[in-house]
Amino acid sequence: MAFRHFYFKTSRTFNKKTLLNHHIKPSLLLTNLIVQKRTGTAKPKIKKSSTNVQKNKGFQKKNLKKTASEDAEATLSTSFVKNKELYKPSPVVALEEMLPEVYTEENIGKIYRFPPEILQKIEIFKLPPILEKEFFPLPYPSLAIRQSSIQLIKLIENASQKSSVESRIILCKSALLLQAINYSLCKSWIVIYVPFAIKFVNSSYPYIKNKITNEFVQPTLSSELLKQIKVVNANYLQNITLTRDYKINKYTIKNNSPVIELMDIGIKDNSCAPQVFEIFLEEIGKNV
């Protein structure tokens, strides 16, 4: 057995004060390194394959995942036993449909669901993003009847008896507007709902300049609106006919033809859609 001594020197200079304050033990300056000779033949080291190591690591990870999931299940089961009342399934809420007769003073504050057949028509026009987020966690879209809802319905009923020039309203609340649309569809009125009016002016649809009127028109947007209006109001538009003949580019449509035939021209041919849409609004105004 052999001994070797290693001495460590430091470049730090010590004065009397530092030597008094810092007492350095000799054992810290002297380090013994013991070297012992081994006898016998050394066994060759066998390197383990990386594949086996990776497999073992993966196996350990799987076991860790299993134990973590088992622990989570155990905690859930114990918490469920302790707090059974908190883990009961949510009760099934049965709401009445929002029909025209529910808009009364007695029903203020009550919540009603949209009728399924009316909701399908509203979804064709699409819902505003704000209401779509609010309706997402609900089993079915529903709104509360408020005092403003009843006032709006009274205005709509009065407007149905006279020209719209005297009863044009600007609404600032999308929920209130949606209740008015629901009421109008339940009453079998023709509804044109535009939930995203910003798309008319933000260049999200292509536009071209009309050489005759020097106005910019949006053929794709007009065609899309005609299609939505036709699908939603198909049952009511079948009985409306044109009051005169019309010549639209290469198409000719005669007097007393169903207004739906006029709409089909604009739906199939985008170039005619802006003109068809203007004629459609004019004919609807005459038949109301």
Side-chain angles (χ1 to χ4, degrees):
M1 187 176 293
F3 295 91
R4 294 182 184 177
H5 302 285
F6 293 88
Y7 294 91
F8 295 90
K9 295 182 179 180
T10 177
S11 61
R12 185 178 178 184
T13 58
F14 292 90
N15 53 24
K16 292 181 179 180
K17 292 182 179 180
T18 55
L19 287 173
L20 290 172
N21 295 332
H22 302 279
H23 175 68
I24 303 173
K25 296 181 180 180
S27 60
L28 295 177
L29 299 176
L30 178 63
T31 303
N32 296 330
L33 178 63
I34 302 173
V35 179
Q36 184 179 4
K37 294 182 180 179
R38 295 184 59 184
T39 58
T41 58
K43 294 182 180 180
K45 294 182 179 180
I46 302 173
K47 293 183 179 180
K48 295 182 180 180
S49 61
S50 59
T51 56
N52 292 334
V53 175
Q54 290 177 358
K55 287 182 179 179
N56 292 336
K57 287 182 179 179
F59 181 72
Q60 290 175 0
K61 287 180 180 179
K62 288 181 181 178
N63 287 340
L64 289 173
K65 289 180 180 179
K66 286 183 180 179
T67 54
S69 61
E70 289 173 357
D71 293 340
E73 290 178 0
T75 53
L76 286 173
S77 61
T78 53
S79 60
F80 177 76
V81 172
K82 292 180 181 179
N83 304 313
K84 289 183 179 180
E85 295 182 358
L86 300 178
Y87 287 89
K88 288 183 179 179
S90 57
V92 179
V93 180
L95 297 177
E96 297 181 8
E97 294 183 354
M98 194 183 300
L99 300 175
E101 54 268 20
V102 303
Y103 292 92
T104 58
E105 298 286 343
E106 295 79 13
N107 294 327
I108 293 177
K110 294 182 180 179
I111 300 175
Y112 294 88
R113 59 179 295 188
F114 290 95
E117 63 278 5
I118 301 300
L119 184 61
Q120 290 178 358
K121 294 181 178 181
I122 294 174
E123 288 177 344
I124 293 172
F125 290 116
K126 296 182 181 179
L127 293 168
I130 298 174
L131 292 179
E132 195 171 7
K133 290 179 181 178
E134 292 183 1
F135 292 157
F136 179 75
L138 303 177
Y140 28 73
S142 53
L143 289 174
I145 301 296
R146 304 184 183 279
Q147 185 66 42
S148 56
S149 307
I150 299 173
Q151 293 174 356
L152 179 61
I153 296 306
K154 290 179 179 179
L155 290 173
I156 294 174
E157 281 290 346
N158 294 332
S160 64
Q161 306 298 328
K162 52 187 177 181
S163 174
S164 63
V165 177
E166 302 176 10
S167 55
R168 294 177 182 177
I169 306 168
I170 297 176
L171 296 177
C172 300
K173 295 182 179 180
S174 55
L176 194 59
L177 176 60
L178 200 59
Q179 287 182 330
I181 291 167
N182 174 75
Y183 182 86
S184 301
L185 289 172
C186 289
K187 297 282 287 186
S188 300
W189 294 345
I190 296 174
V191 174
I192 302 174
Y193 179 37
V194 182
F196 305 104
I198 187 64
K199 65 184 179 182
F200 284 60
V201 294
N202 65 356
S203 300
S204 56
Y205 287 87
Y207 57 89
I208 58 175
K209 188 174 183 180
N210 190 334
K211 295 180 181 180
I212 300 174
T213 61
N214 290 327
E215 295 176 347
F216 288 94
V217 295
Q218 296 171 295
T220 307
L221 176 60
S222 301
S223 179
E224 184 179 313
L225 284 173
L226 286 170
K227 185 177 180 180
Q228 292 174 348
I229 295 167
K230 178 187 173 183
V231 174
V232 173
N233 304 284
N235 296 333
Y236 322 131
L237 295 173
Q238 291 177 353
N239 300 325
I240 299 178
T241 57
L242 300 177
T243 57
R244 64 182 183 89
D245 299 342
Y246 288 98
K247 176 69 176 178
I248 306 168
N249 292 350
K250 60 182 179 179
Y251 305 98
T252 302
I253 187 166
K254 296 183 178 180
N255 184 19
N256 293 326
S257 298
V259 73
I260 289 180
E261 292 184 8
L262 171 71
M263 300 175 73
D264 288 335
I265 295 173
I267 294 170
K268 295 176 182 178
D269 190 348
N270 289 354
S271 62
C272 303
Q275 187 179 356
V276 169
F277 192 77
E278 290 181 3
I279 296 172
F280 166 75
L281 295 178
E282 181 183 347
E283 288 292 333
I284 292 297
K286 293 178 181 178
N287 283 273
V288 175

